[in-house]
Amino acid sequence: AQSVTQLDSHVSVSEGTPVLLRCNYSSSYSPSLFWYVQHPNKGLQLLLKYTSAATLVKGINGFEAEFKKSETSFHLTKPSAHMSDAAEYFCVVSEEDSNYQLIWGAGTKLIIKP
Amino acid sequence: AAGVIQSPRHLIKEKRETATLKCYPIPRHDTVYWYQQGPGQDPQFLISFYEKMQSDKGSIPDRFSAQQFSDYHSELNMSSLELGDSALYFCASSFISYNEQFFGPGTRLTVL
């Protein structure tokens, strides 16, 4: 069975410093992994996705994530945080055998300090 | 590029009333998904349709029903509304082979 664990419910960083949002997953087969961002009172936007190609995935707004099968991790990073990055971030896994149903992590709220 | 369209964007209803939410997928997408996101929670999968047939069922209450029409748009019908139904309802669409869901802006339902 698939599951997703986002290790931090809140992450607070200063503007201009690196961002690390942690995600671990469990999956029986070859998963697809996604990061979605949700700004306050807004919809869900896909940041990036991993679908068995390159393990280092680059997304929008300077974010990237690395798929590490040995560690079952898919952590999201950004070298330098901007105030506009303040949002909720969801790590998501899906598998072909589950009809690509999305399994969501609980979300990590990213807080940017000026 | 065309995106997923949801209407209405905001809806206020009273307990025991009914509500209908509409979703218009991206052109040529054949699959529609419905999610419910309560305050401070991650989206919960409700139901999905592929080629107008129900493909998966999640935590959708019996009071809710949904269908996908011949033009691929979908409607979520909610009856006997309860206070706990207040949430953001997202629709997503995909082309089944591509395994990526594109989300609409959501409908915020408030039940008073």
Side-chain angles (χ1 to χ4, degrees), chain A residues 28-78:
Chain A
S28 303
Y29 302 100
S30 298
S32 295
L33 292 155
F34 309 83
W35 277 97
Y36 283 89
V37 60
Q38 185 176 30
H39 287 90
N41 298 312
K42 299 282 182 160
L44 291 153
Q45 182 181 21
L46 180 67
L47 270 181
L48 49 80
K49 63 176 180 177
Y50 165 79
T51 53
S52 74
T55 56
L56 181 62
V57 182
K58 293 187 184 299
I60 61 172
N61 301 335
F63 284 93
E64 61 181 41
E66 187 171 7
F67 173 69
K68 291 188 176 180
K69 189 172 182 178
S70 60
E71 298 176 11
T72 60
S73 70
F74 191 58
H75 300 335
L76 182 70
T77 60
K78 182 172 180 177

Side-chain angles (χ1 to χ4, degrees), chain A residues 1-4 25-33 50-52 67-70 72-73 92-101 103, chain B residues 99:
Chain A
Q2 307 161 76
S3 67
V4 179
Y25 70 93
S26 69
S27 172
S28 303
Y29 302 100
S30 298
S32 295
L33 292 155
Y50 165 79
T51 53
S52 74
F67 173 69
K68 291 188 176 180
K69 189 172 182 178
S70 60
T72 60
S73 70
V92 182
V93 65
S94 76
E95 289 177 353
E96 182 177 356
D97 282 8
S98 303
N99 288 330
Y100 298 120
Q101 191 174 127
I103 306 301
Chain B
N99 185 23

Side-chain angles (χ1 to χ4, degrees), chain B residues 40-103:
Chain B
Q41 297 183 359
D42 58 296
Q44 297 294 311
F45 170 70
L46 294 178
I47 195 167
S48 63
F49 293 87
Y50 168 64
E51 284 290 344
K52 293 152 281 184
M53 299 288 290
Q54 181 181 309
S55 54
D56 265 312
K57 195 171 182 181
S59 52
I60 185 169
D62 291 340
R63 299 177 288 108
F64 294 6
S65 65
Q67 57 181 325
Q68 187 180 29
F69 295 85
S70 57
D71 63 352
Y72 292 96
H73 94 272
S74 178
E75 294 184 4
L76 177 67
N77 298 293
M78 311 159 72
S79 62
S80 302
L81 286 169
E82 301 173 358
L83 295 177
D85 296 329
S86 295
L88 197 52
Y89 289 83
F90 286 108
C91 170
S93 75
S94 74
F95 184 64
I96 193 66
S97 301
Y98 288 152
N99 185 23
E100 179 179 339
Q101 296 183 23
F102 294 82
F103 283 80

Side-chain angles (χ1 to χ4, degrees), chain B residues 3-17:
Chain B
V4 177
I5 297 171
Q6 289 187 249
S7 69
R9 294 293 308 278
H10 300 272
L11 189 59
I12 299 175
K13 291 285 185 178
E14 300 205 350
K15 279 170 47 178
R16 292 180 287 278
E17 286 192 323

Side-chain angles (χ1 to χ4, degrees), chain B residues 16-31:
Chain B
R16 292 180 287 278
E17 286 192 323
T18 61
T20 297
L21 309 186
K22 297 186 179 182
C23 170
Y24 298 86
I26 292 172
R28 292 189 294 279
H29 279 192
D30 51 18
T31 307

